[in-house]
């Protein structure tokens, strides 16, 4: 793209200089501070490259807690606490292995990952024929053929959805409910096509749910290329036996913490605004987008407020939640503690947990009056990207305070196109995060929190 | 991000199924075809990985022309032509080299690239002291100190702009006009800080303009990390001599072509809608975003229309423009040919040349009635991402037909955050393009062209 850009740029520029009102000026000031001096990207580098994957109970979880606690203090937190909560301690226990054995004697290694919280196969592994199942309807139709088999769910992530979270919502039931449904009919293990439209072969893990009525069988996710090969081979009528070995198991619950920073309100200290992300991540990746992005944005907002000397009227809590991925104990604990402290009123609990991509808007679960208020702020956020407010939304970490205390909850909604390329996969690494996109998320969150702080909610 | 997503997804899903009108249904059909069966991403792989950089006049330009011609035919073009235009043939002539020589005897290799269309230093290179210049104001103030020096323009790409094209428009004058302004005061060469906010050290090339009143001196772009080092060292008062060698020069103009495909209009065959991108790219990269994306989107729109059996009322031209980067001869030729053919009316000339990122909207230069029409279509495009219409916009390739025949011109406006990380740099490679984002650009372009075809403009 060449010279023609200059005058296009000129047009935008002339638009950009019209900021006038106090709110516009202050939000501009926040944006400038973050876009020029942000530490979010370098903080994310440390979290992902020095600490890395940090599943609940792991040594990296404790390193991340220490890192977050220190960083909140350094960033200007006036009251920094570690809020204890017991967290599940699931370990992968070794390298997940799956080998496809064909009748012609050929073998093929499959790229798989055990799903979080699953029981392993035992060190001997299991060896069983695999059966292709494309949907739960097909599962029911073939329920008499599943005994002693490995069920391979090949339900595709639907590319027709424009918002990729819709495709996830549509497909993820095969990961969460598929395991026990397979066990119900006597299957020995479940193998699910990864919830992704990526162009690589990385398997995407995530939690599964064991229905206590049935046996806890091993469950794994398989990469898309291997899933396509498996489906094609089985569709040709060539039987395949899979040799599967996973070693997942639980250790006793561990003592984890929500790490909480705070800016005390000058006028309404008992009115609380919460912003947060989750500090834990899956063990097999760096947890850069999920949710190192939300964590470093949360800390950056605090840093930026202090840097520009902003003194909030209300109390703002910056929460690094524990154990979102495989237990949500951090979110539950935060809600329980809030419930005990009845002299505090929580106005809004916000989170950033949809990746560090260019912000588009916010999804907020609130009443009509509150939503009208948000809509009225749209023109203030539009110049920074996140002016689109939609009803409904929140996230695992703020869901419990919402349910327990009826606190309005919301979430930053970034562009979703790249999220499921890397979600819960080895490819969720620092290099997948763009500095500007990460910073713009912090800008829009900081702007919305500023408005809630100024005008209440 | 965990379980909480399902019901958010549910909300979006319910929204998504409300498509009712003929236009909504047809646009949904176009989107499904592209999102499920698109060939854009694999075509881009071939263009970037098999052919690669393809500057005007290069062997790769001819390979790209043949590839594009064949692909347009295969994709269903009813009338495919090669529109001849002579193009400048600039060659880099070798590896660009710059070594910083410090007074303490130490040396440092600097990562630079000669700017397009520049004269080289000659094989012997030049060796001269470098002078730090942060702005044109500083250049004027120090004009008496520039003789025999290498001028290092260190003007920074301004991160405060939310739309990165504004930062480009603000900074790029140092690349386009800085060379001759330095020559005016007797400088031997110009070295400009790359027009980028990338986190790497890749220099970003691009065209420069020689004012014929002054000597044509060599001009190069330097990577940001080296630029920072150079500025810091010079600011400390440590003199630096730079040994510079570039071999750029022009060969005689070459015979190039715009490659044009067509779908003939069934009702108004003489009313023309143009969509295009540019087939050429800088020599030092794969030209994936700039503008392999626009090229493969243009071809994908044609393929998708044919695949769903859409028969346009008006004639749609799919143009792979020649020589956008260092001459714009393709755009000029297209305008000249259109001017000759007076029985044709051009309704709108659209281009995609801002990268294959998630679409946000369109910038269109048109009259009030036309803009009102566009605005009325916004709800139809919003679900696919590009519902934001802004006034003003177009691009090098459609600028000339706009100026010559007063044809309304416009451009797809994708998210701009990552564009200047890779623009005109080695990092503009296939791997920097996301499949979904590329496809969504094609979806929104195809939808807008459909509406213009149905209702005129």
């Amino acid at each position: 793209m060449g010279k023609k850009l200059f005058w296009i740029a000129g047009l935008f520029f002339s638009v950009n200089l019209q900021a006038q009102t106090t709110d516009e000026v202050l939000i501009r000031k926040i944006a400038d501070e973050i876009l020029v001096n942000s530490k979010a990207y370098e903080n994310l580098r440390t979290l992902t490259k020095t600490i890395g994957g940090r599943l609940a109970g792991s040594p990296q979880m404790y390193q991340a807690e220490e890192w977050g606690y220190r960083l909140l203090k350094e960033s200007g937190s006036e009251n920094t606490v570690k809020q204890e909560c017991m967290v599940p301690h699931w370990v992968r226990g070794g390298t997940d292995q799956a080998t496809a054995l064909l009748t012609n004697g050929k073998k093929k290694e499959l790229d798989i990952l055990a799903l979080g919280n699953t029981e392993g196969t035992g060190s001997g592994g299991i060896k069983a024929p695999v059966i292709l199942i494309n949907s739960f309807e097909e599962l029911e139709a073939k329920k008499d053929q599943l005994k002693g088999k490995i069920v391979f769910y090949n339900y595709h992530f639907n590319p027709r959805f424009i918002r990729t979270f819709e495709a996830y919502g549509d497909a993820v039931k095969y990961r969460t409910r598929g395991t026990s449904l397979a066990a119900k009919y006597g299957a020995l293990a479940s193998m699910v096509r990864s919830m992704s439209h990526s162009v690589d072969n990385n398997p995407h893990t995530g939690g599964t749910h064991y229905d206590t009525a049935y046996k806890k069988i091993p469950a794994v996710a398989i990469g898309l290329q291997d899933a396509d090969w498996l489906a094609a081979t089985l569709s040709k009528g060539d039987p395949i036996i899979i040799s599967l070995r996973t070693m997942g198991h639980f250790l006793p619950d561990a003592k984890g913490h929500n790490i909480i920073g705070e800016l005390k309100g000058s006028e309404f200290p008992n009115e609380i605004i919460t912003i947060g992300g989750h500090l834990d991540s899956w063990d097999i990746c760096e947890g850069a987008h999920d949710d190192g992005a939300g964590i470093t944005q949360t800390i950056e907002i605090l840093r930026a407020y202090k840097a520009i000397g902003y003194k909030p009227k209300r109390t703002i809590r910056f929460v690094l939640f524990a154990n979102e991925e495989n237990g949500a104990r951090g979110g539950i604990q935060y809600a329980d503690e809030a419930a005990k402290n009845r002299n505090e009123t929580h106005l809004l609990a916000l989170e950033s947990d949809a990746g560090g991509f260019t912000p588009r808007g916010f999804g907020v679960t609130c009443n009509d009056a509150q939503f009208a208020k948000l809509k009225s702020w749209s023109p203030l956020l539009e110049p920074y990207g996140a002016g689109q407010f939609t009803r409904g939304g929140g996230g695992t970490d703020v869901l419990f305070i919402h349910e327990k205390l009826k606190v309005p909850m919301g979430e930053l909604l970034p562009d979703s196109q790249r999220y499921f390329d890397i979600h819960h996969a080895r490819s969720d690494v620092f290099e997948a995060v763009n500095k500007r996109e990460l910073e713009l998320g912090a800008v829009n969150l900081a702007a919305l929190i500023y408005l809630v702080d100024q005008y209440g909610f």
Side-chain angles (χ1 to χ4, degrees), chain A residues 92-208:
Chain A
R92 190 165 299 276
T95 306
D96 304 305
Q97 295 172 308
T99 310
L101 312 168
L102 290 87
T103 45
N104 62 12
K106 289 218 172 76
K107 291 183 176 189
K108 180 180 168 65
E109 292 304 315
L110 303 175
D111 199 347
I112 59 144
L113 282 174
L115 297 182
N117 299 356
T118 54
E119 298 292 323
T121 58
S123 55
I126 61 172
K127 195 180 279 193
V130 60
I131 179 168
L132 174 65
I133 297 293
N134 290 295
S135 69
F136 284 147
E137 294 66 29
E138 188 175 359
L139 183 83
E140 291 304 320
K142 296 185 173 170
K143 62 186 178 194
D144 300 336
Q145 307 168 38
L146 306 183
K147 196 162 189 327
K149 303 255 180 73
I150 295 172
V151 168
F152 165 42
Y153 289 111
N154 192 43
Y155 187 83
H156 284 241
F157 203 75
N158 189 341
R160 294 173 182 82
F161 291 105
I162 305 305
R163 296 186 190 80
T164 61
F165 286 106
E166 300 175 45
Y168 186 65
D170 172 59
V172 77
K173 56 183 174 287
Y174 289 93
R175 191 190 80 210
T176 51
R177 289 168 40 212
T179 311
S180 283
L181 280 172
K184 176 181 174 186
Y185 297 125
L188 296 183
S190 164
M191 178 177 283
V192 64
R193 181 186 181 91
S194 289
M195 315 289 127
S196 175
H197 44 215
S198 74
V199 293
D200 58 37
N201 193 41
N202 289 320
H204 296 241
T205 187
T208 191

Side-chain angles (χ1 to χ4, degrees), chain A residues 29-30 33-34 71-79 262-264 299-312 316 318 446:
Chain A
K29 201 170 171 187
I30 291 170
E33 172 58 33
I34 292 174
L71 199 52
L72 282 167
K73 287 192 149 209
E74 287 169 19
S75 305
S77 169
E78 297 161 356
N79 173 30
E262 190 174 81
L263 288 181
K264 206 84 189 150
I299 296 168
E300 177 61 18
I301 296 162
L302 166 63
R303 189 203 65 77
Y305 284 157
K306 294 295 283 192
I308 66 171
Y310 179 65
K311 300 197 181 346
I316 304 173
F318 303 86

Side-chain angles (χ1 to χ4, degrees), chain A residues 201-260:
Chain A
N201 193 41
N202 289 320
H204 296 241
T205 187
T208 191
H209 171 72
Y210 281 131
D211 182 333
T212 50
Y214 309 107
K215 186 161 183 294
K216 293 183 173 182
I217 61 173
V220 303
I222 180 169
L224 301 189
Q225 292 166 10
D226 285 348
D228 288 340
W229 173 83
L230 205 51
T233 309
L234 292 167
S235 300
K236 275 187 293 167
D238 301 351
I240 294 176
I241 287 172
I242 285 182
S243 168
L244 180 70
R245 184 176 184 277
T246 65
M247 299 298 290
H249 59 284
F250 277 101
L251 300 176
D253 281 5
K255 190 186 288 181
H257 303 85
N258 292 325
I259 310 298
I260 306 175

Side-chain angles (χ1 to χ4, degrees), chain A residues 54 57 80 128 264 325 355 377 422 424:
Chain A
R54 47 201 178 275
T80 316
K264 206 84 189 150
E325 293 294 4
W377 293 334
I422 53 85
H424 297 179

